[in-house]
Amino acid sequence: DAEDPTMQGTFMQLEKMAETAEEQEHQAWCELPFRQLAYNFARNTFGEESADTMFSADNLIPVFLQTGFAAKAQQIGKDLLEKKEKKFGKDNFFVATTLTLLGNAHGDLGDYSQQKDLLERALRIKEQHYGKEHPEVALTLGNLGNAYGGLGDYRQKKDLLERALRIQEHYG
């Protein structure tokens, strides 16, 4: 039962174990089974469209990317993006996180055009939500620069990376 406090407690313990593994010098291979377990537990206990399941998916995708499972990250990212857009709207900053992760999955798979499109959309949302000079914007600019590099547009890559660096230097 999704309303059972014991189930919520179990989910939170799984997430905490995954966070502990992540804190150990970002050992993604150690973190991966905990993230998968937490995600599957949330899906089965709270449902596909619950906030806990979406939160868990957002935590699982980067671990898949770090461990070389970009296709799995892409699959979960596509499903998650659909659900978040339906629940929060297409321009919500919660959607921007998933756009960024999904864009990076496409980039890891060599689809730089799709990566660019997703990251440009994420950038617009993040700039609206955080402002143009925020560290979250800088991260997206860096990823977007890499997408342009993958497409062979090195001038645009350089411009985006320089802008990201200026923001990061400002925030230390």
Side-chain angles (χ1 to χ4, degrees), residues 21-119:
E22 177 187 19
E23 290 167 1
Q24 305 305 311
E25 298 181 29
H26 295 280
Q27 298 293 324
W29 282 105
C30 296
E31 183 182 357
L32 181 60
F34 293 115
R35 293 288 181 203
Q36 288 176 303
L37 189 58
Y39 174 68
N40 288 325
F41 182 86
R43 274 186 28 216
N44 294 331
T45 304
F46 308 121
E48 291 280 340
E49 296 183 17
S50 75
D52 287 327
T53 301
M54 289 183 201
F55 170 79
S56 194
D58 271 334
N59 288 329
L60 177 59
I61 294 169
V63 178
F64 272 144
L65 293 172
Q66 293 166 8
T67 53
F69 295 110
K72 287 183 179 183
Q74 181 187 46
Q75 178 186 6
I76 291 174
K78 282 181 180 179
D79 292 342
L80 181 59
L81 181 60
E82 240 179 72
K83 290 175 178 91
K84 280 188 170 183
E85 287 177 338
K86 182 178 161 188
K87 185 173 185 118
F88 302 114
K90 290 184 182 271
D91 295 325
N92 186 284
F93 77 99
F94 288 124
V95 171
T97 301
T98 305
L99 287 166
T100 300
L101 293 169
L102 182 56
N104 289 335
H106 279 280
D108 285 2
L109 293 169
D111 187 353
Y112 302 112
S113 179
Q114 185 66 21
Q115 179 187 23
K116 178 186 78 72
D117 292 346
L118 291 165
L119 291 173

Side-chain angles (χ1 to χ4, degrees), residues 3 33 69 162:
E3 301 297 319
F69 295 110
E162 285 175 349

Side-chain angles (χ1 to χ4, degrees), residues 96 100 118-120 122-124 126 135-145 164:
T100 300
L118 291 165
L119 291 173
E120 284 178 342
L123 180 63
R124 281 191 302 274
K126 288 182 179 184
E136 279 293 321
V137 170
L139 289 171
T140 304
L141 287 167
N143 289 324
L144 184 56

